Amino acid sequence: MKVKNPGNTSLNQIQLLLLLALLAGSFLLHLGKSPFYLEEPRRVLIAQEMLLEGQWLVPTQMGEIYRHKPPFFNWLLMAAFIISGAASEPAARLVTVFSLFAWGLLSFIFLRKHASFEVAFYASLFLLVSADLYFYFSLLAEIDIFYGFVTCLSFYAAFHFKQKNALLPLFISVYLLNAIGFLTKGFPSLIFPVFILLVLFYPSTERKKLFSWQHAAGIFVFVFVAGGYFFLYSKQQDAMLYLEALLKQSGDRTVLQHESFRLLKHLFVFPVTLLKDLLPATLLLPFILKKNAFKKLWENELTRYLFLLFAINIVIYWLSPGTRTRYVYMLFPLPVILITFLFFSEKPTGFLQKFTFYFRKLMLAAGVLSTVMAVAIPLYFNLNALIIIPGVALSMVFLFLHFRLQPNLPLMLIAVMLLSRWCFDLWILPVRAETGEHVQVKKDAEKIVEFTKGESLFLFRHKKSDNYPLGSVFYIGRDRQEVLRRKFEINCHDFFIVEKNEVAQEQYIAHHAFAWKKFEYLLVKFSGCE
């Protein structure tokens, strides 16, 4: 098998396998080296507590009911912990990595059936190395990549089964995948089936299919899956409170909840941020200016469907100042596929030929600069000298690719991203694993576990969960194999983690002191109890 490209060069099997191996390795290198940080501690803490309590239906945080997200992603983390035998950083983050790889693979399989091999191959790779996914969220045990994957899969399934005129699989797949999305992130998943079906069946001659028994079957599947969970939940807790909390959280991001100045700022910043986060595919945007490009896009059923689906969805997020890029991950493949399709639609002419020439020169300069940096950065920061070797080796591979496959502009862009990610893994991730407040949080948690071995331990008060690092709660709970809970009454028998200002009037013996953000904490045993 060979991967062809516009410049009449090709990737043979060995080169293709090498490319995929470098891609896979870039995702896995030092994946679990850094302690959990940002929102990761909340996700893994809830999964861990559900495991410790043997509770698969009711999410909790510090033993208290958690209603801000449904539990599907927690179930995946729980499964990863069970399979790996430990609630660890690599196990949790592999859920994200596997989701992203499955997304890339299924994107390729889908596009291969409905587009050219080149579009399928390069669009899938562009998705995997999209800047925000590749350098940020693929490193985190967070919800958004999995949610984007499941939701985008419903886009693919709808078009695929529509082409086969298979109505029952179409409706069932759309509603089933978005039911999983609902159990992952809540109410945002209700809007996607509406838009998918609107775009698919907008011709008046096909609208009657929306009133078919197959559509009713799809809705039944959604109600059975999503509603079934909340029915089972209601046997243990108040499901209406849960749904109200999910609805409120979704509404907080809409235009109605924000002032006009913030909306105006968002209208400008959001598209710029999106273009940045979709790099390197967006560097090919000049090629959409080819003659008859939009006519070709509109005449192709797949690209017309993807264009309409992207346009109708993105407007909602563009008008919602609470939107962050990760909220639109499910839409990432759509512009990537459209850009790739237009790039391969025909050879560039006129000014686009000159643009391509100078762009290749820029890529060469980037390769030379990377080679220099591969030596200079480790030396400047006194890093391990051995890091220089793989950095230089990767830079040499990049330069070889430039001269061997220089007509292949998409491959050059992907190579730049691969080289950058490997350097990021080699230089940045080890430093991140040794510095930052999340590292100290884990060290303090280990000390607390050591001090309290064999004794009871509680958080004293801390009514707001954000007043105490959830990473500490996770590591303490994992190592003690119990849920760390709040307690509001003082006694002299148990250990307590307290905020120093909260116990200024109390008698206690401090065993350990530590800080987080602007707060000072103590591990204490109270004294003078009657």
Side-chain angles (χ1 to χ4, degrees):
M1 177 181 64
K2 292 187 176 183
V3 182
K4 299 178 181 178
N5 62 81
N8 297 321
T9 62
S10 62
L11 287 175
N12 59 36
Q13 287 183 340
I14 294 177
Q15 292 168 333
L16 177 60
L17 290 174
L18 177 61
L19 176 68
L20 296 178
L22 286 171
L23 181 63
S26 69
F27 280 105
L28 300 176
L29 182 63
H30 294 157
L31 180 65
K33 199 173 181 67
S34 178
F36 291 119
Y37 64 109
L38 300 177
E39 278 293 296
E40 284 185 297
R42 192 185 308 277
R43 307 300 165 219
V44 295
L45 172 61
I46 293 168
Q48 175 177 261
E49 289 193 9
M50 294 173 75
L51 268 181
L52 290 173
E53 298 287 287
Q55 174 59 265
W56 288 76
L57 291 176
V58 182
T60 62
Q61 181 177 291
M62 287 182 272
E64 299 168 7
I65 305 301
Y66 179 80
R67 298 189 181 95
H68 293 298
K69 289 288 187 296
F72 198 94
F73 189 73
N74 299 121
W75 294 339
L76 296 179
L77 293 177
M78 293 165 73
F81 293 161
I82 292 171
I83 293 169
S84 67
S88 64
E89 290 88 352
R93 290 168 181 161
L94 278 172
V95 173
T96 296
V97 172
F98 286 152
S99 298
L100 187 54
F101 261 88
W103 197 357
L105 176 61
L106 290 175
S107 294
F108 173 78
I109 292 172
F110 166 73
L111 292 171
R112 187 67 189 96
K113 292 181 179 295
H114 302 286
S116 69
F117 186 93
E118 288 70 37
V119 171
F121 182 76
Y122 287 107
S124 301
L125 287 179
F126 276 139
L127 171 65
L128 290 174
V129 300
S130 294
D132 206 48
L133 298 179
Y134 198 34
F135 288 94
Y136 189 49
F137 261 80
S138 65
L139 295 161
L140 302 175
E142 257 285 21
I143 287 175
D144 299 277
I145 285 181
F146 172 75
Y147 180 71
F149 161 55
V150 171
T151 305
C152 183
L153 203 57
S154 71
F155 303 162
Y156 294 165
F159 182 83
H160 177 73
F161 289 119
K162 173 67 161 51
Q163 293 297 103
K164 292 180 172 293
N165 199 30
L167 289 185
L168 186 60
L170 187 160
F171 287 114
I172 287 179
S173 61
V174 166
Y175 282 103
L176 175 60
L177 289 165
N178 281 287
I180 294 173
F182 188 90
L183 293 179
T184 302
K185 215 169 184 180
F187 281 94
S189 289
L190 291 181
I191 198 67
F192 294 117
V194 176
F195 287 161
I196 290 170
L197 299 179
L198 177 64
V199 171
L200 276 181
F201 297 108
Y202 75 91
S204 57
T205 56
E206 296 198 277
R207 288 175 189 168
K208 61 182 181 180
K209 294 178 181 178
L210 295 175
F211 302 95
S212 64
W213 69 267
Q214 291 95 333
H215 192 180
I219 295 173
F220 172 79
V221 167
F222 185 96
V223 173
F224 180 79
V225 174
Y229 165 74
F230 285 98
F231 173 76
L232 294 175
Y233 182 93
S234 70
K235 300 295 183 181
Q236 301 184 37
Q237 296 291 333
D238 190 333
M240 289 307 299
L241 284 178
Y242 200 171
L243 289 167
E244 288 171 8
L246 293 174
L247 184 60
K248 181 180 183 301
Q249 189 181 40
S250 299
D252 286 344
R253 301 186 187 118
T254 65
V255 65
L256 299 177
Q257 299 294 322
H258 299 277
E259 65 275 11
S260 57
F261 174 76
R262 190 175 177 189
L263 172 60
L264 290 173
K265 179 182 176 182
H266 180 74
L267 289 174
F268 173 75
V269 171
F270 178 70
V272 176
T273 303
L274 189 61
L275 289 172
K276 169 184 69 70
D277 291 337
L278 280 169
L279 290 172
T282 47
L283 291 174
L284 298 179
L285 273 174
F287 291 94
I288 70 174
L289 301 176
K290 291 178 180 178
K291 186 178 180 181
N292 298 323
F294 286 99
K295 180 181 179 182
K296 290 188 175 183
L297 183 150
W298 194 255
E299 289 175 347
N300 183 285
E301 283 190 73
L302 172 63
T303 53
R304 182 173 66 246
Y305 165 74
L306 297 178
F307 175 79
L308 290 172
L309 197 58
F310 178 75
I312 199 171
N313 275 284
I314 203 65
V315 168
I316 293 178
Y317 294 98
W318 198 357
L319 295 176
S320 301
T323 295
R324 299 177 184 177
T325 303
R326 66 177 186 267
Y327 300 163
V328 296
Y329 279 169
M330 76 292 295
L331 304 179
F332 268 31
L334 310 188
V336 167
I337 294 168
L338 295 175
I339 292 169
T340 309
F341 171 83
L342 292 176
F343 177 83
F344 284 102
S345 61
E346 60 183 61
K347 292 182 179 181
T349 58
F351 87 95
L352 287 178
Q353 283 184 315
K354 294 182 178 179
F355 172 82
T356 304
F357 173 79
Y358 288 113
F359 199 92
R360 290 186 191 124
K361 297 299 181 184
L362 182 63
M363 292 297 99
L364 176 60
V368 173
L369 180 61
S370 298
T371 305
V372 174
M373 291 175 63
V375 177
I377 291 180
L379 292 177
Y380 182 79
F381 289 101
N382 295 318
L383 301 177
N384 190 329
L386 293 177
I387 293 178
I388 296 174
I389 298 173
V392 172
L394 287 166
S395 299
M396 293 298 102
V397 170
F398 174 84
L399 292 173
F400 167 77
L401 286 173
H402 176 84
F403 290 108
R404 169 68 178 83
L405 300 170
Q406 52 176 287
N408 193 334
L409 190 54
L411 183 63
M412 293 309 305
L413 294 174
I414 292 164
V416 168
M417 299 300 283
L418 275 173
L419 172 61
S420 301
R421 174 60 192 265
W422 271 90
C423 292
F424 179 85
D425 290 348
L426 289 167
W427 299 335
I428 306 301
L429 292 187
V431 174
R432 182 182 290 176
E434 301 296 331
T435 58
E437 65 179 19
H438 58 290
V439 177
Q440 190 59 45
V441 163
K442 184 176 183 179
K443 291 179 180 178
D444 287 321
E446 291 170 346
K447 290 178 181 177
I448 290 170
V449 170
E450 184 180 343
F451 278 120
T452 61
K453 189 175 296 183
E455 301 198 47
S456 299
L457 172 66
F458 297 93
L459 275 171
F460 182 58
R461 296 179 185 167
H462 302 302
K463 295 181 181 179
K464 293 182 180 179
S465 62
D466 289 341
N467 279 2
Y468 190 75
L470 294 180
S472 179
V473 179
F474 168 78
Y475 287 115
I476 291 171
R478 183 189 69 178
D479 295 343
R480 288 173 58 88
Q481 282 297 291
E482 64 181 18
V483 175
L484 179 61
R485 303 175 187 273
R486 292 186 180 92
K487 197 169 187 177
F488 297 91
E489 301 81 24
I490 288 175
N491 68 61
C492 293
H493 307 293
D494 303 321
F495 274 100
F496 288 87
I497 299 171
V498 302
E499 187 186 336
K500 189 175 181 179
N501 292 336
E502 280 192 299
V503 294
Q505 306 301 317
E506 307 293 343
Q507 298 179 45
Y508 59 82
I509 300 172
H511 294 264
H512 181 58
F514 58 102
W516 184 69
K517 294 186 176 179
K518 62 181 180 180
F519 302 101
E520 292 184 67
Y521 293 98
L522 301 171
L523 174 67
V524 306
K525 267 197 171 181
F526 291 105
S527 58
C529 303
E530 296 182 2

